[in-house]
Amino acid sequence: MAIPSDAPDWRGMSKEELDRGLNNGLAVPGSGDIMANWEQRSAALRTRYPAHLDLRYGPRERNRIDFLKAADRAPTLLFIHGGYWQMRAKEFFTLVAEGALAHGINVALTGYTLAPDATLDEIVAEIHAAIDFLQRELPALGGDGKGIVVSGWSAGGHLTAMALSHPHVRAGLGISGIYDLEPIRHSYLNDKLGLDEAASRRNSPVKQPTGPDKPLSLVVGSTELPLLRQQTADFACYRAKHGLPVSYEQIAGANHFTIMNEMIAPEGRITALLRELFARTG
């Protein structure tokens, strides 16, 4: 769980260098085509599971959940999408359910209000509200009632860590997440987020006195931006230092986008880690 050897100290970087060091779209040629493919494949999967789409858990437009049912009384995974808390939507990511569904795991995908229309505190609160709703509705939807495993990518990895404290969450898996918001606060991404120092600290999992004593798996691609790999390694070290259950893994050859193939594929590494979390906490 060592810090990547090529990871610079962001505090010594210029604003331009920091902005570039956090820009995944710029770092991965063809990322727009990858996202377009995800959206197309997700739309096709949604047509196969039309029964429980856009379930409303709150009053705002994006306060909606899609539920893809694998089987009655099946375990349930909740996926939180990424986009630096200010882009994208759950509909882009339906295809990530394919791996879990193939193993009899229900998959819910939640939306949330994007910045600047919501503060990060409000976004975190919406995720907790979504979990409240999902747990309450699971008996009717087909859940096993044993609690939820939460996973998320990029900003969704951060929101996964923030959701781990919810009493109905039994475990989490963060994919290429952000766990220290201070670099974000000093970058172009804060134009919409509007974080001050207090909000950054309050919402940074790695800055808390301790964390939830629940299993958390952390993964990141070996070819991702160094600052992103550092975020995951630092958070894994934080969890280990505090005696909290954690696993850490770099997915060889994966970048910020191709890492999701390991969740989409039924035999992918992330799918395997999710199955392990369900087995450990069932």
Side-chain angles (χ1 to χ4, degrees), residues 2 6 21-23 33 39 49 75 88 116 122 147 153 168 198 206 225-227 238 245 263 276 279:
D6 60 341
L22 293 168
N23 193 325
D33 292 336
E39 186 176 18
Y49 292 88
R88 306 198 173 104
E122 291 170 335
W153 169 73
H168 294 304
V206 78
L225 287 165
L227 290 178
Y238 160 90
M263 186 175 189
E276 290 173 12

Side-chain angles (χ1 to χ4, degrees), residues 53-66 90-91 109-114 118 122-123 125-127 129-130 133:
L53 301 179
D54 289 320
L55 306 176
R56 180 169 289 282
Y57 71 82
R60 305 190 74 171
E61 176 59 29
R62 285 174 171 258
N63 293 167
R64 300 172 187 268
I65 288 175
D66 294 339
K90 62 178 172 61
E91 289 80 8
L109 302 97
T110 188
Y112 53 89
T113 307
L114 302 179
E122 291 170 335
I123 292 171
E126 286 187 356
I127 297 302
F133 169 87

Side-chain angles (χ1 to χ4, degrees), residues 23-130:
N23 193 325
N24 293 295
L26 185 64
V28 180
S31 60
D33 292 336
I34 293 172
M35 290 300 304
N37 178 259
W38 287 1
E39 186 176 18
Q40 183 180 25
R41 291 172 62 186
S42 292
L45 188 59
R46 285 165 64 85
T47 64
R48 291 168 48 196
Y49 292 88
H52 305 296
L53 301 179
D54 289 320
L55 306 176
R56 180 169 289 282
Y57 71 82
R60 305 190 74 171
E61 176 59 29
R62 285 174 171 258
N63 293 167
R64 300 172 187 268
I65 288 175
D66 294 339
F67 185 83
L68 283 62
K69 181 179 176 180
D72 280 323
R73 295 179 295 281
T76 299
L77 170 69
L78 174 66
F79 181 79
I80 308 171
H81 73 80
Y84 274 137
W85 309 274
Q86 56 196 264
M87 296 179 289
R88 306 198 173 104
K90 62 178 172 61
E91 289 80 8
F92 281 73
F93 295 89
T94 313
L95 81 163
V96 306
E98 290 181 357
L101 288 169
H103 294 281
I105 299 169
N106 299 326
V107 180
L109 302 97
T110 188
Y112 53 89
T113 307
L114 302 179
D117 293 330
T119 67
L120 196 51
D121 289 296
E122 291 170 335
I123 292 171
V124 169
E126 286 187 356
I127 297 302
H128 279 252

